[in-house]
């Protein structure tokens, strides 16, 4: 089992396959669930944006979108359990795509959402586009490169920017480049960030761009640790950073927190805990 520089087990290979089966088959035993945890918060935030800005079809940019999981959950009201079952199939990629396209056409959302995915994996983006989960895809590494003029055009007009776990690998460089591609507009943001990663550098950068950030009090399960070694490495990192893991990561799960960022001249009270059972 290999570990990356953060202490987490390296799962890079699950994001570069031609379809999502490896992704879901590897993550299922780990009970990966943060997109499902995030779904009601994103739904409420999108509803608030739609109503406050009178935008019928908000444009959502999902950073680190992989195979379009958040888009499937939010556009077509899928669930993680449903997707785990769907991709346990031994069907061919073409058969999976046909079934996913049927999902995308059979569950018309009550209110439209336009989803743009940003990722460094061309194969994951290709699948999400072909399946109909994403409306547009940007294959780019904004940590290393400024967006091209074509990519800036794809980012333009973004209403909300979301992520579920990529921040920590993706930094303020990417978010700054996304905002600067807006030509003066400042989209709302909602990021689920593992507690092992400090958010302070991102918050400072967003403050410099005219944002105010608040943190939702609740914590959210992301997945179980893949091994005792992974847990030990992550706990060591958290201890060195002064983050108390007792009752949370020390019990065997990675946890995330939700940060909401809006223009400083707007209210930053965001979607607090929806009416649902907490895990």
């Amino acid at each position: 089992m290999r570990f990356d520089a953060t202490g987490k087990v390296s799962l890079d290979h699950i994001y570069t396959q031609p379809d999502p089966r490896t992704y879901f088959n590897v993550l299922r035993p780990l009970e990966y669930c943060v997109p499902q945890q995030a779904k009601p918060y994103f739904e409420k935030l999108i509803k608030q944006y739609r109503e406050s800005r009178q935008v019928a079809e908000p444009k959502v940019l999902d950073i680190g979108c992989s195979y379009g999981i958040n888009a499937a959950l939010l556009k077509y009201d899928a669930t993680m359990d449903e997707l785990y079952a769907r991709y346990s199939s031994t069907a061919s990629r073409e058969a999976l795509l046909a079934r996913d396209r049927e999902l995308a056409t059979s569950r018309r959302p009550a209110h439209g959402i336009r989803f743009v995915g940003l990722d460094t994996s061309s194969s994951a983006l290709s699948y999400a586009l072909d399946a109909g989960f994403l409306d547009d895809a940007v294959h780019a590494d904004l940590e290393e490169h400024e967006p091209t003029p074509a990519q800036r055009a794809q980012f333009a007009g973004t209403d909300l920017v979301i992520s579920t776990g990529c921040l920590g690998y993706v930094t303020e460089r990417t978010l700054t480049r996304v905002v600067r591609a807006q030509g003066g507009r400042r989209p709302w943001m909602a990021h689920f960030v593992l507690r092992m990663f400090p958010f302070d550098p991102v918050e400072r950068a967003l403050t410099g761009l005219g944002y105010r950030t608040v943190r939702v009090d609740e914590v959210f399960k992301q997945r179980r640790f893949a091994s005792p070694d992974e847990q030990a490495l992550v706990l060591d990192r958290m201890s060195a950073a002064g983050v108390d893991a007792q009752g949370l990561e020390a019990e065997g799960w990675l946890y995330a927190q939700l940060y909401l960022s809006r223009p400083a001249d707007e209210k930053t009270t965001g979607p607090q805990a929806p009416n649902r059972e907490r895990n």
Side-chain angles (χ1 to χ4, degrees), residues 213-232:
T213 298
V214 297
R215 189 185 73 191
V216 172
D217 290 336
E218 190 174 3
V219 294
F220 304 88
K221 287 181 174 179
Q222 197 230 31
R223 65 165 171 83
R224 292 188 180 277
F225 285 105
S227 71
D229 287 342
E230 182 187 38
Q231 183 178 15

Side-chain angles (χ1 to χ4, degrees), residues 19-34:
D19 63 62
R21 283 176 292 188
T22 300
Y23 176 97
F24 282 99
N25 288 332
V26 169
L27 292 178
R28 188 173 197 169
L30 305 180
E31 299 183 57
Y32 174 74
C33 60
V34 73

Side-chain angles (χ1 to χ4, degrees), residues 46-223:
I46 290 167
K47 181 175 184 289
Q48 288 177 347
Y49 188 92
R50 183 182 284 119
E51 292 174 351
S52 67
R53 296 293 183 88
Q54 298 297 298
V55 175
E57 189 179 65
K59 180 177 177 178
V60 177
L61 175 65
D62 186 4
I63 297 179
C65 68
S66 70
Y67 297 93
I69 310 306
N70 288 322
L73 268 59
L74 291 163
K75 288 176 69 175
Y76 307 120
D77 200 28
T79 67
M80 286 299 286
D81 285 345
E82 179 183 2
L83 297 182
Y84 278 125
R86 173 178 292 266
Y87 297 115
S88 65
S89 169
T90 58
S92 66
R93 181 181 187 275
E94 290 69 26
L96 287 174
L97 277 173
R99 193 165 59 180
D100 284 343
R101 292 189 193 108
E102 183 180 354
L103 171 69
T105 58
S106 64
R107 298 188 189 178
R108 291 298 183 186
H111 300 286
I113 310 169
R114 178 171 171 77
F115 252 90
V116 179
L118 168 63
D119 207 282
T120 58
S121 171
S122 59
S123 55
L125 289 173
S126 176
Y127 188 91
L129 275 175
D130 289 347
F133 296 161
L134 295 180
D135 300 287
D136 197 4
V138 182
H139 179 222
D141 182 352
L142 298 189
E143 290 295 293
E144 298 295 333
H145 307 287
E146 290 285 346
T148 65
Q151 290 165 349
R152 291 176 65 89
Q154 289 176 286
F155 291 138
T158 296
D159 295 303
L160 301 105
V161 179
I162 67 171
S163 67
T164 49
C166 69
L167 291 191
Y169 298 98
V170 169
T171 72
E172 64 275 9
R173 288 191 294 274
T174 289
L175 295 184
T176 296
R177 286 166 172 166
V178 166
V179 173
R180 287 177 176 165
Q182 302 303 313
R185 298 176 79 254
R186 284 172 294 171
W188 291 9
M189 296 196 185
H191 300 291
F192 284 80
V193 184
L194 287 175
R195 285 177 8 101
M196 64 183 288
F197 295 127
F199 192 74
D200 292 350
V202 176
E203 184 172 355
R204 286 194 296 269
L206 291 178
T207 298
L209 293 168
Y211 281 89
R212 183 176 174 224
T213 298
V214 297
R215 189 185 73 191
V216 172
D217 290 336
E218 190 174 3
V219 294
F220 304 88
K221 287 181 174 179
Q222 197 230 31
R223 65 165 171 83

